[in-house]
Amino acid sequence: MRIAVFTGASSGMGREFVRRITGEEKFDEVWLIARRRERLEEIAAGVSAKTRILPLDLSDRAAIESYRQMLAKENPEIAVLVNAAGFGLFGTFEKMDLDAQLGIIELNDKALVGMTYASLPYMKAGSRIYQLGSLSSFQPVPYINVYGASKAFVLSFSRALNCELKHDGRGIRVMAVCPGWVKTEFFDHAVHDDTIKYYNRFYTPEQVVERALKDMKRGRDVSVCGVSVRSQVRLTKLLPHKTVMSIWCRQQKK
């Protein structure tokens, strides 16, 4: 059984990955993972392949174990894994709830690692893993502190794992998808005040996923959508991080 697995499938980037990938490829089953069953059912209605709805909270490690048990029972071939589950919070570190900030790490990092680890034994040559990072992956970001750090982990982990898999000859690809601002429900959860004031440009999920699919075919291990965002990434590599943070803080009127 050849399957595709999508986390964070109920909205935003995850939803767009489902739409594009299932619209272009044939699968025996598509596994949709997110917390909200009703939203997953809406997504499933638009997928031509047979779907398996898995309303799991991946910040709970028991959910990863449940996923592992399903894999062991079904023994599928995972052709595509998209790890798009995640969230962030904008604000001053000391003023935000600690449990919520630890939850960012649980979902953005620990769940992503757990899903990847559980899935790899069921992947073959040509299988692909898309890991959702961020422009924040490339620089420290005051006032988006823990979220930015969590996405830096995603970038480092994904690139290193792609290198490991390349050297073991299995033909499995891993790519970090690192967009700038994308207009999704992410902001409904992340924004609680006016701590972040400056947003230079928004992209759409369609633009980001389109670029990601092309970059995967090109053999890249990182996908960055937009000329302006790629220019910013280059600057973060050339300038000291102290300078980059200073520019960011001035933009946010700090």
Side-chain angles (χ1 to χ4, degrees):
M1 179 172 66
R2 185 173 184 268
I3 72 170
V5 180
F6 300 86
T7 77
S10 63
S11 65
M13 295 296 301
R15 181 172 189 159
E16 182 59 21
F17 267 111
V18 173
R19 188 186 73 82
R20 281 299 306 273
I21 291 177
T22 62
E24 296 180 4
E25 294 185 56
K26 300 297 182 184
F27 302 97
D28 297 308
E29 272 193 12
V30 174
W31 291 16
L32 303 176
I33 301 174
R35 291 177 302 165
R36 297 173 289 183
R37 175 182 287 276
E38 67 280 2
R39 292 293 296 273
L40 292 177
E41 290 173 347
E42 293 175 14
I43 304 302
V47 176
S48 58
K50 180 181 178 182
T51 57
R52 183 176 301 212
I53 293 173
L54 303 174
L56 300 173
D57 180 359
L58 295 178
S59 62
D60 181 351
R61 198 167 299 183
I64 306 294
E65 182 57 31
S66 176
Y67 172 70
R68 292 183 70 174
Q69 290 175 6
M70 280 184 276
L71 290 176
K73 179 181 178 181
E74 301 292 344
N75 193 31
E77 174 193 341
I78 301 177
V80 178
L81 169 65
V82 176
N83 276 314
F87 76 99
L89 294 171
F90 297 176
T92 304
F93 174 72
E94 286 187 293
K95 295 179 180 179
M96 290 189 292
D97 180 71
L98 175 60
D99 286 341
Q101 294 188 84
L102 292 175
I104 294 173
I105 300 169
E106 290 288 344
L107 186 57
N108 295 7
D109 296 336
K110 290 186 177 181
L112 179 142
V113 169
M115 287 295 296
T116 303
Y117 189 90
S119 300
L120 275 173
Y122 300 90
M123 293 185 150
K124 299 179 180 179
S127 293
R128 290 152 287 148
I129 303 175
Y130 296 85
Q131 313 276 45
L132 195 61
S134 167
L135 174 58
S136 303
S137 300
F138 300 95
Q139 63 189 73
V141 191
Y143 308 105
I144 314 180
N145 189 343
V146 175
Y147 173 78
S150 77
K151 293 303 185 179
F153 175 91
V154 172
L155 176 62
S156 180
F157 167 73
S158 301
R159 297 190 75 180
L161 179 60
N162 184 64
C163 184
E164 289 184 24
L165 295 173
K166 180 179 179 180
H167 286 150
D168 76 6
R170 293 167 63 192
I172 301 170
R173 295 280 318 289
V174 183
M175 187 177 71
V177 181
C178 298
W181 302 117
V182 184
K183 199 64 175 178
T184 67
E185 292 179 19
F186 169 88
F187 289 91
D188 297 338
H189 192 287
V191 179
H192 298 278
D193 55 32
D194 64 348
T195 300
I196 302 302
K197 301 177 175 67
Y198 174 77
Y199 303 91
N200 55 344
R201 176 177 176 177
F202 280 93
Y203 290 84
T204 66
E206 291 83 357
Q207 289 173 307
V208 175
V209 173
E210 174 72 21
R211 176 76 193 201
L213 297 180
K214 289 180 178 178
D215 284 340
M216 181 65 82
K217 292 177 181 177
R218 293 166 177 158
R220 294 176 177 169
D221 64 354
V222 180
S223 177
V224 180
C225 178
V227 174
S228 62
V229 182
R230 289 194 291 276
S231 297
Q232 188 171 335
V233 170
R234 284 193 287 271
L235 283 174
T236 64
K237 296 177 180 179
L238 296 173
L239 298 175
H241 280 172
K242 183 177 180 179
T243 301
V244 172
M245 288 189 288
S246 178
I247 293 170
W248 163 258
C249 288
R250 286 201 303 271
Q251 290 173 333
Q252 305 307 332
K253 303 186 184 306
K254 304 298 181 187

